[in-house]
mmCIF file of all heavy atoms in Angstrom:
data_model
loop_
_atom_site.group_PDB
_atom_site.id
_atom_site.type_symbol
_atom_site.label_atom_id
_atom_site.label_comp_id
_atom_site.label_asym_id
_atom_site.label_seq_id
_atom_site.Cartn_x
_atom_site.Cartn_y
_atom_site.Cartn_z
ATOM 1 N N LYS V 39 -17.862 33.674 -21.838
ATOM 2 C CA LYS V 39 -18.983 34.081 -20.997
ATOM 3 C C LYS V 39 -19.763 35.228 -21.617
ATOM 4 O O LYS V 39 -21.003 35.238 -21.606
ATOM 5 C CB LYS V 39 -18.463 34.475 -19.615
ATOM 6 C CG LYS V 39 -19.559 34.960 -18.703
ATOM 7 C CD LYS V 39 -19.066 35.098 -17.276
ATOM 8 C CE LYS V 39 -18.438 33.784 -16.810
ATOM 9 N NZ LYS V 39 -18.155 33.809 -15.357
ATOM 10 N N ARG V 64 -14.867 6.539 -22.677
ATOM 11 C CA ARG V 64 -15.107 6.196 -21.283
ATOM 12 C C ARG V 64 -14.725 7.407 -20.440
ATOM 13 O O ARG V 64 -13.780 8.130 -20.779
ATOM 14 C CB ARG V 64 -14.224 5.013 -20.867
ATOM 15 C CG ARG V 64 -14.376 3.772 -21.728
ATOM 16 C CD ARG V 64 -15.604 3.005 -21.386
ATOM 17 N NE ARG V 64 -15.569 2.606 -19.978
ATOM 18 C CZ ARG V 64 -14.945 1.524 -19.513
ATOM 19 N NH1 ARG V 64 -14.306 0.705 -20.324
ATOM 20 N NH2 ARG V 64 -14.983 1.227 -18.226
ATOM 21 N N PRO V 65 -15.409 7.603 -19.328
ATOM 22 C CA PRO V 65 -15.035 8.722 -18.460
ATOM 23 C C PRO V 65 -13.549 8.762 -18.110
ATOM 24 O O PRO V 65 -12.934 9.835 -18.148
ATOM 25 C CB PRO V 65 -15.902 8.499 -17.224
ATOM 26 C CG PRO V 65 -17.135 7.865 -17.760
ATOM 27 C CD PRO V 65 -16.667 6.975 -18.884
ATOM 28 N N TYR V 66 -12.966 7.604 -17.820
ATOM 29 C CA TYR V 66 -11.563 7.655 -17.415
ATOM 30 C C TYR V 66 -10.659 8.069 -18.578
ATOM 31 O O TYR V 66 -9.573 8.626 -18.370
ATOM 32 C CB TYR V 66 -11.108 6.312 -16.813
ATOM 33 C CG TYR V 66 -10.826 5.223 -17.788
ATOM 34 C CD1 TYR V 66 -9.574 5.083 -18.368
ATOM 35 C CD2 TYR V 66 -11.830 4.316 -18.162
ATOM 36 C CE1 TYR V 66 -9.305 4.077 -19.269
ATOM 37 C CE2 TYR V 66 -11.572 3.315 -19.065
ATOM 38 C CZ TYR V 66 -10.306 3.195 -19.619
ATOM 39 O OH TYR V 66 -10.048 2.200 -20.528
ATOM 40 N N GLN V 76 -11.292 12.954 -11.259
ATOM 41 C CA GLN V 76 -12.404 12.023 -11.452
ATOM 42 C C GLN V 76 -13.719 12.573 -10.923
ATOM 43 O O GLN V 76 -14.736 12.549 -11.621
ATOM 44 C CB GLN V 76 -12.063 10.675 -10.781
ATOM 45 C CG GLN V 76 -13.070 9.560 -11.042
ATOM 46 C CD GLN V 76 -14.195 9.556 -10.024
ATOM 47 O OE1 GLN V 76 -13.973 9.783 -8.841
ATOM 48 N NE2 GLN V 76 -15.414 9.293 -10.478
ATOM 49 N N HIS V 77 -13.702 13.081 -9.701
ATOM 50 C CA HIS V 77 -14.960 13.557 -9.125
ATOM 51 C C HIS V 77 -15.449 14.820 -9.814
ATOM 52 O O HIS V 77 -16.655 15.042 -9.931
ATOM 53 C CB HIS V 77 -14.800 13.771 -7.623
ATOM 54 C CG HIS V 77 -13.671 14.676 -7.247
ATOM 55 N ND1 HIS V 77 -12.415 14.207 -6.944
ATOM 56 C CD2 HIS V 77 -13.599 16.006 -7.149
ATOM 57 C CE1 HIS V 77 -11.626 15.227 -6.655
ATOM 58 N NE2 HIS V 77 -12.321 16.336 -6.773
ATOM 59 N N SER V 80 -16.968 13.700 -13.163
ATOM 60 C CA SER V 80 -18.270 13.069 -12.944
ATOM 61 C C SER V 80 -19.366 14.129 -12.833
ATOM 62 O O SER V 80 -20.440 14.014 -13.422
ATOM 63 C CB SER V 80 -18.212 12.213 -11.683
ATOM 64 O OG SER V 80 -19.447 11.570 -11.449
ATOM 65 N N ARG V 81 -19.061 15.179 -12.110
ATOM 66 C CA ARG V 81 -20.062 16.230 -11.945
ATOM 67 C C ARG V 81 -20.183 17.138 -13.161
ATOM 68 O O ARG V 81 -21.273 17.615 -13.473
ATOM 69 C CB ARG V 81 -19.734 17.045 -10.701
ATOM 70 C CG ARG V 81 -20.564 16.543 -9.563
ATOM 71 C CD ARG V 81 -19.842 16.395 -8.293
ATOM 72 N NE ARG V 81 -20.761 15.938 -7.264
ATOM 73 C CZ ARG V 81 -20.376 15.569 -6.063
ATOM 74 N NH1 ARG V 81 -19.113 15.581 -5.740
ATOM 75 N NH2 ARG V 81 -21.262 15.155 -5.186
ATOM 76 N N ARG V 94 -24.863 9.438 -21.178
ATOM 77 C CA ARG V 94 -24.103 8.288 -20.717
ATOM 78 C C ARG V 94 -24.849 7.014 -21.083
ATOM 79 O O ARG V 94 -26.062 6.938 -20.911
ATOM 80 C CB ARG V 94 -23.889 8.376 -19.202
ATOM 81 C CG ARG V 94 -22.831 9.418 -18.852
ATOM 82 C CD ARG V 94 -22.498 9.452 -17.370
ATOM 83 N NE ARG V 94 -23.224 10.523 -16.693
ATOM 84 C CZ ARG V 94 -22.730 11.273 -15.706
ATOM 85 N NH1 ARG V 94 -21.503 11.058 -15.265
ATOM 86 N NH2 ARG V 94 -23.446 12.205 -15.147
ATOM 87 N N ARG V 102 -18.892 -1.907 -14.766
ATOM 88 C CA ARG V 102 -18.594 -0.693 -14.023
ATOM 89 C C ARG V 102 -18.551 0.522 -14.924
ATOM 90 O O ARG V 102 -18.630 1.657 -14.469
ATOM 91 C CB ARG V 102 -17.208 -0.820 -13.358
ATOM 92 C CG ARG V 102 -17.100 -1.938 -12.396
ATOM 93 C CD ARG V 102 -15.648 -2.203 -12.062
ATOM 94 N NE ARG V 102 -14.872 -2.583 -13.254
ATOM 95 C CZ ARG V 102 -13.579 -2.857 -13.255
ATOM 96 N NH1 ARG V 102 -12.896 -2.794 -12.125
ATOM 97 N NH2 ARG V 102 -12.963 -3.201 -14.358
ATOM 98 N N ARG V 104 -19.000 3.145 -18.356
ATOM 99 C CA ARG V 104 -20.006 3.920 -19.086
ATOM 100 C C ARG V 104 -19.375 4.393 -20.386
ATOM 101 O O ARG V 104 -18.169 4.616 -20.456
ATOM 102 C CB ARG V 104 -20.419 5.188 -18.300
ATOM 103 C CG ARG V 104 -20.954 4.943 -16.918
ATOM 104 C CD ARG V 104 -22.408 4.524 -16.946
ATOM 105 N NE ARG V 104 -22.911 4.331 -15.583
ATOM 106 C CZ ARG V 104 -22.818 3.185 -14.910
ATOM 107 N NH1 ARG V 104 -22.264 2.131 -15.459
ATOM 108 N NH2 ARG V 104 -23.301 3.094 -13.689
ATOM 109 P P DA J 6 -4.240 -3.564 -4.279
ATOM 110 O OP1 DA J 6 -2.800 -3.389 -4.561
ATOM 111 O OP2 DA J 6 -4.922 -2.778 -3.224
ATOM 112 O "O5'" DA J 6 -5.016 -3.348 -5.649
ATOM 113 C "C5'" DA J 6 -4.779 -4.237 -6.737
ATOM 114 C "C4'" DA J 6 -5.707 -3.866 -7.862
ATOM 115 O "O4'" DA J 6 -7.054 -4.286 -7.541
ATOM 116 C "C3'" DA J 6 -5.767 -2.360 -8.129
ATOM 117 O "O3'" DA J 6 -5.628 -2.183 -9.529
ATOM 118 C "C2'" DA J 6 -7.150 -1.954 -7.615
ATOM 119 C "C1'" DA J 6 -7.954 -3.233 -7.808
ATOM 120 N N9 DA J 6 -9.088 -3.407 -6.888
ATOM 121 C C8 DA J 6 -9.061 -3.368 -5.518
ATOM 122 N N7 DA J 6 -10.234 -3.581 -4.958
ATOM 123 C C5 DA J 6 -11.085 -3.785 -6.036
ATOM 124 C C6 DA J 6 -12.467 -4.068 -6.122
ATOM 125 N N6 DA J 6 -13.256 -4.200 -5.060
ATOM 126 N N1 DA J 6 -13.006 -4.216 -7.356
ATOM 127 C C2 DA J 6 -12.203 -4.094 -8.433
ATOM 128 N N3 DA J 6 -10.894 -3.830 -8.476
ATOM 129 C C4 DA J 6 -10.399 -3.694 -7.231
ATOM 130 P P DT J 7 -5.551 -0.751 -10.177
ATOM 131 O OP1 DT J 7 -4.622 -0.819 -11.309
ATOM 132 O OP2 DT J 7 -5.400 0.240 -9.083
ATOM 133 O "O5'" DT J 7 -7.017 -0.571 -10.767
ATOM 134 C "C5'" DT J 7 -7.500 -1.524 -11.709
ATOM 135 C "C4'" DT J 7 -8.905 -1.128 -12.077
ATOM 136 O "O4'" DT J 7 -9.791 -1.404 -10.979
ATOM 137 C "C3'" DT J 7 -9.060 0.359 -12.387
ATOM 138 O "O3'" DT J 7 -9.640 0.457 -13.676
ATOM 139 C "C2'" DT J 7 -9.954 0.883 -11.281
ATOM 140 C "C1'" DT J 7 -10.723 -0.366 -10.887
ATOM 141 N N1 DT J 7 -11.261 -0.418 -9.506
ATOM 142 C C2 DT J 7 -12.573 -0.781 -9.326
ATOM 143 O O2 DT J 7 -13.310 -1.032 -10.257
ATOM 144 N N3 DT J 7 -12.991 -0.824 -8.029
ATOM 145 C C4 DT J 7 -12.241 -0.556 -6.897
ATOM 146 O O4 DT J 7 -12.730 -0.644 -5.776
ATOM 147 C C5 DT J 7 -10.870 -0.188 -7.146
ATOM 148 C C7 DT J 7 -9.970 0.131 -5.993
ATOM 149 C C6 DT J 7 -10.442 -0.135 -8.430
ATOM 150 P P DA J 8 -9.978 1.882 -14.332
ATOM 151 O OP1 DA J 8 -9.753 1.738 -15.782
ATOM 152 O OP2 DA J 8 -9.326 2.957 -13.558
ATOM 153 O "O5'" DA J 8 -11.553 1.975 -14.072
ATOM 154 C "C5'" DA J 8 -12.435 1.130 -14.793
ATOM 155 C "C4'" DA J 8 -13.852 1.651 -14.615
ATOM 156 O "O4'" DA J 8 -14.263 1.399 -13.261
ATOM 157 C "C3'" DA J 8 -13.976 3.154 -14.838
ATOM 158 O "O3'" DA J 8 -15.089 3.387 -15.695
ATOM 159 C "C2'" DA J 8 -14.175 3.733 -13.446
ATOM 160 C "C1'" DA J 8 -14.767 2.576 -12.666
ATOM 161 N N9 DA J 8 -14.371 2.524 -11.264
ATOM 162 C C8 DA J 8 -13.112 2.717 -10.752
ATOM 163 N N7 DA J 8 -13.051 2.602 -9.446
ATOM 164 C C5 DA J 8 -14.351 2.314 -9.076
ATOM 165 C C6 DA J 8 -14.951 2.073 -7.825
ATOM 166 N N6 DA J 8 -14.280 2.082 -6.669
ATOM 167 N N1 DA J 8 -16.279 1.806 -7.798
ATOM 168 C C2 DA J 8 -16.947 1.791 -8.954
ATOM 169 N N3 DA J 8 -16.497 2.002 -10.198
ATOM 170 C C4 DA J 8 -15.176 2.259 -10.187
ATOM 171 P P DG J 9 -15.355 4.816 -16.271
ATOM 172 O OP1 DG J 9 -16.147 4.678 -17.512
ATOM 173 O OP2 DG J 9 -14.107 5.586 -16.273
ATOM 174 O "O5'" DG J 9 -16.310 5.394 -15.149
ATOM 175 C "C5'" DG J 9 -17.565 4.728 -14.926
ATOM 176 C "C4'" DG J 9 -18.181 5.194 -13.633
ATOM 177 O "O4'" DG J 9 -17.318 4.889 -12.525
ATOM 178 C "C3'" DG J 9 -18.450 6.691 -13.520
ATOM 179 O "O3'" DG J 9 -19.861 6.847 -13.568
ATOM 180 C "C2'" DG J 9 -17.861 7.080 -12.176
ATOM 181 C "C1'" DG J 9 -17.667 5.745 -11.478
ATOM 182 N N9 DG J 9 -16.616 5.727 -10.475
ATOM 183 C C8 DG J 9 -15.282 5.995 -10.650
ATOM 184 N N7 DG J 9 -14.590 5.912 -9.540
ATOM 185 C C5 DG J 9 -15.525 5.573 -8.573
ATOM 186 C C6 DG J 9 -15.366 5.352 -7.186
ATOM 187 O O6 DG J 9 -14.328 5.417 -6.512
ATOM 188 N N1 DG J 9 -16.568 5.024 -6.575
ATOM 189 C C2 DG J 9 -17.780 4.926 -7.232
ATOM 190 N N2 DG J 9 -18.833 4.591 -6.493
ATOM 191 N N3 DG J 9 -17.943 5.122 -8.532
ATOM 192 C C4 DG J 9 -16.774 5.450 -9.135
ATOM 193 P P DA J 10 -20.556 8.214 -13.321
ATOM 194 O OP1 DA J 10 -21.800 8.158 -14.121
ATOM 195 O OP2 DA J 10 -19.617 9.327 -13.481
ATOM 196 O "O5'" DA J 10 -20.972 8.103 -11.779
ATOM 197 C "C5'" DA J 10 -21.790 7.010 -11.385
ATOM 198 C "C4'" DA J 10 -22.214 7.167 -9.935
ATOM 199 O "O4'" DA J 10 -21.064 7.041 -9.071
ATOM 200 C "C3'" DA J 10 -22.856 8.506 -9.584
ATOM 201 O "O3'" DA J 10 -23.910 8.211 -8.688
ATOM 202 C "C2'" DA J 10 -21.724 9.274 -8.911
ATOM 203 C "C1'" DA J 10 -20.960 8.156 -8.214
ATOM 204 N N9 DA J 10 -19.525 8.386 -8.029
ATOM 205 C C8 DA J 10 -18.615 8.714 -9.001
ATOM 206 N N7 DA J 10 -17.377 8.836 -8.547
ATOM 207 C C5 DA J 10 -17.489 8.569 -7.188
ATOM 208 C C6 DA J 10 -16.532 8.518 -6.149
ATOM 209 N N6 DA J 10 -15.229 8.756 -6.337
ATOM 210 N N1 DA J 10 -16.968 8.213 -4.911
ATOM 211 C C2 DA J 10 -18.278 7.970 -4.737
ATOM 212 N N3 DA J 10 -19.269 7.983 -5.638
ATOM 213 C C4 DA J 10 -18.797 8.289 -6.856
ATOM 214 P P DT J 11 -24.933 9.277 -8.237
ATOM 215 O OP1 DT J 11 -26.181 8.526 -8.057
ATOM 216 O OP2 DT J 11 -24.866 10.454 -9.111
ATOM 217 O "O5'" DT J 11 -24.389 9.696 -6.792
ATOM 218 C "C5'" DT J 11 -24.302 8.715 -5.767
ATOM 219 C "C4'" DT J 11 -23.780 9.376 -4.496
ATOM 220 O "O4'" DT J 11 -22.342 9.520 -4.566
ATOM 221 C "C3'" DT J 11 -24.309 10.791 -4.262
ATOM 222 O "O3'" DT J 11 -24.532 10.941 -2.867
ATOM 223 C "C2'" DT J 11 -23.153 11.675 -4.697
ATOM 224 C "C1'" DT J 11 -22.001 10.827 -4.180
ATOM 225 N N1 DT J 11 -20.659 11.134 -4.727
ATOM 226 C C2 DT J 11 -19.590 10.985 -3.887
ATOM 227 O O2 DT J 11 -19.698 10.629 -2.733
ATOM 228 N N3 DT J 11 -18.369 11.278 -4.455
ATOM 229 C C4 DT J 11 -18.140 11.690 -5.748
ATOM 230 O O4 DT J 11 -16.996 11.904 -6.140
ATOM 231 C C5 DT J 11 -19.302 11.825 -6.576
ATOM 232 C C7 DT J 11 -19.164 12.274 -7.996
ATOM 233 C C6 DT J 11 -20.496 11.545 -6.029
ATOM 234 P P DG J 12 -25.755 11.713 -2.342
ATOM 235 O OP1 DG J 12 -26.865 10.756 -2.352
ATOM 236 O OP2 DG J 12 -25.856 12.998 -3.072
ATOM 237 O "O5'" DG J 12 -25.343 12.018 -0.827
ATOM 238 C "C5'" DG J 12 -24.869 10.960 0.017
ATOM 239 C "C4'" DG J 12 -24.024 11.538 1.138
ATOM 240 O "O4'" DG J 12 -22.670 11.754 0.680
ATOM 241 C "C3'" DG J 12 -24.509 12.894 1.664
ATOM 242 O "O3'" DG J 12 -24.295 12.924 3.078
ATOM 243 C "C2'" DG J 12 -23.621 13.898 0.930
ATOM 244 C "C1'" DG J 12 -22.313 13.129 0.768
ATOM 245 N N9 DG J 12 -21.564 13.444 -0.452
ATOM 246 C C8 DG J 12 -22.060 13.577 -1.725
ATOM 247 N N7 DG J 12 -21.136 13.835 -2.622
ATOM 248 C C5 DG J 12 -19.961 13.886 -1.890
ATOM 249 C C6 DG J 12 -18.633 14.122 -2.322
ATOM 250 O O6 DG J 12 -18.209 14.345 -3.454
ATOM 251 N N1 DG J 12 -17.741 14.086 -1.250
ATOM 252 C C2 DG J 12 -18.084 13.842 0.053
ATOM 253 N N2 DG J 12 -17.089 13.852 0.943
ATOM 254 N N3 DG J 12 -19.326 13.609 0.462
ATOM 255 C C4 DG J 12 -20.203 13.649 -0.555
ATOM 256 P P DT J 13 -24.692 14.132 3.954
ATOM 257 O OP1 DT J 13 -24.913 13.583 5.298
ATOM 258 O OP2 DT J 13 -25.719 14.943 3.269
ATOM 259 O "O5'" DT J 13 -23.346 14.995 3.994
ATOM 260 C "C5'" DT J 13 -22.188 14.422 4.595
ATOM 261 C "C4'" DT J 13 -21.040 15.407 4.485
ATOM 262 O "O4'" DT J 13 -20.551 15.460 3.121
ATOM 263 C "C3'" DT J 13 -21.421 16.842 4.849
ATOM 264 O "O3'" DT J 13 -20.430 17.306 5.747
ATOM 265 C "C2'" DT J 13 -21.376 17.585 3.510
ATOM 266 C "C1'" DT J 13 -20.274 16.802 2.806
ATOM 267 N N1 DT J 13 -20.239 16.932 1.333
ATOM 268 C C2 DT J 13 -19.012 17.040 0.709
ATOM 269 O O2 DT J 13 -17.962 17.021 1.323
ATOM 270 N N3 DT J 13 -19.055 17.147 -0.653
ATOM 271 C C4 DT J 13 -20.181 17.190 -1.444
ATOM 272 O O4 DT J 13 -20.101 17.294 -2.666
ATOM 273 C C5 DT J 13 -21.435 17.080 -0.733
ATOM 274 C C7 DT J 13 -22.722 17.109 -1.495
ATOM 275 C C6 DT J 13 -21.403 16.957 0.604
ATOM 276 P P DA J 14 -20.575 18.730 6.464
ATOM 277 O OP1 DA J 14 -20.576 18.475 7.908
ATOM 278 O OP2 DA J 14 -21.655 19.520 5.824
ATOM 279 O "O5'" DA J 14 -19.173 19.379 6.065
ATOM 280 C "C5'" DA J 14 -17.987 18.583 6.163
ATOM 281 C "C4'" DA J 14 -16.871 19.304 5.456
ATOM 282 O "O4'" DA J 14 -17.092 19.233 4.020
ATOM 283 C "C3'" DA J 14 -16.776 20.788 5.794
ATOM 284 O "O3'" DA J 14 -15.398 21.117 5.931
ATOM 285 C "C2'" DA J 14 -17.430 21.480 4.601
ATOM 286 C "C1'" DA J 14 -17.065 20.530 3.459
ATOM 287 N N9 DA J 14 -18.015 20.533 2.344
ATOM 288 C C8 DA J 14 -19.369 20.419 2.386
ATOM 289 N N7 DA J 14 -19.950 20.439 1.203
ATOM 290 C C5 DA J 14 -18.887 20.580 0.328
ATOM 291 C C6 DA J 14 -18.826 20.669 -1.080
ATOM 292 N N6 DA J 14 -19.899 20.622 -1.868
ATOM 293 N N1 DA J 14 -17.607 20.802 -1.648
ATOM 294 C C2 DA J 14 -16.534 20.846 -0.848
ATOM 295 N N3 DA J 14 -16.456 20.773 0.472
ATOM 296 C C4 DA J 14 -17.692 20.637 1.011
ATOM 297 P P DG J 18 -13.116 32.223 -8.896
ATOM 298 O OP1 DG J 18 -12.647 31.915 -10.268
ATOM 299 O OP2 DG J 18 -12.522 33.338 -8.132
ATOM 300 O "O5'" DG J 18 -14.698 32.434 -8.940
ATOM 301 C "C5'" DG J 18 -15.509 31.499 -9.633
ATOM 302 C "C4'" DG J 18 -16.895 32.071 -9.810
ATOM 303 O "O4'" DG J 18 -17.568 32.092 -8.530
ATOM 304 C "C3'" DG J 18 -16.912 33.511 -10.322
ATOM 305 O "O3'" DG J 18 -17.937 33.561 -11.316
ATOM 306 C "C2'" DG J 18 -17.242 34.349 -9.080
ATOM 307 C "C1'" DG J 18 -18.096 33.382 -8.268
ATOM 308 N N9 DG J 18 -18.048 33.530 -6.816
ATOM 309 C C8 DG J 18 -16.930 33.680 -6.040
ATOM 310 N N7 DG J 18 -17.200 33.745 -4.757
ATOM 311 C C5 DG J 18 -18.582 33.628 -4.695
ATOM 312 C C6 DG J 18 -19.448 33.630 -3.574
ATOM 313 O O6 DG J 18 -19.156 33.727 -2.384
ATOM 314 N N1 DG J 18 -20.786 33.490 -3.947
ATOM 315 C C2 DG J 18 -21.214 33.356 -5.248
ATOM 316 N N2 DG J 18 -22.535 33.225 -5.423
ATOM 317 N N3 DG J 18 -20.414 33.353 -6.305
ATOM 318 C C4 DG J 18 -19.111 33.493 -5.957
ATOM 319 P P DC J 19 -18.232 34.887 -12.147
ATOM 320 O OP1 DC J 19 -18.720 34.457 -13.463
ATOM 321 O OP2 DC J 19 -17.102 35.806 -12.006
ATOM 322 O "O5'" DC J 19 -19.482 35.495 -11.358
ATOM 323 C "C5'" DC J 19 -20.680 34.719 -11.235
ATOM 324 C "C4'" DC J 19 -21.702 35.520 -10.469
ATOM 325 O "O4'" DC J 19 -21.411 35.473 -9.061
ATOM 326 C "C3'" DC J 19 -21.730 37.000 -10.860
ATOM 327 O "O3'" DC J 19 -23.060 37.324 -11.230
ATOM 328 C "C2'" DC J 19 -21.276 37.735 -9.610
ATOM 329 C "C1'" DC J 19 -21.664 36.745 -8.510
ATOM 330 N N1 DC J 19 -20.869 36.844 -7.267
ATOM 331 C C2 DC J 19 -21.517 36.738 -6.034
ATOM 332 O O2 DC J 19 -22.739 36.571 -6.015
ATOM 333 N N3 DC J 19 -20.790 36.814 -4.900
ATOM 334 C C4 DC J 19 -19.468 36.991 -4.967
ATOM 335 N N4 DC J 19 -18.789 37.055 -3.817
ATOM 336 C C5 DC J 19 -18.781 37.105 -6.213
ATOM 337 C C6 DC J 19 -19.510 37.025 -7.342
#
Side-chain angles (χ1 to χ4, degrees):
Chain V
K39 178 169 306 190
R64 304 282 301 276
Y66 77 87
Q76 187 272 321
H77 55 267
S80 181
R81 262 137 178 172
R94 285 185 262 217
R102 299 166 299 179
R104 303 280 182 272

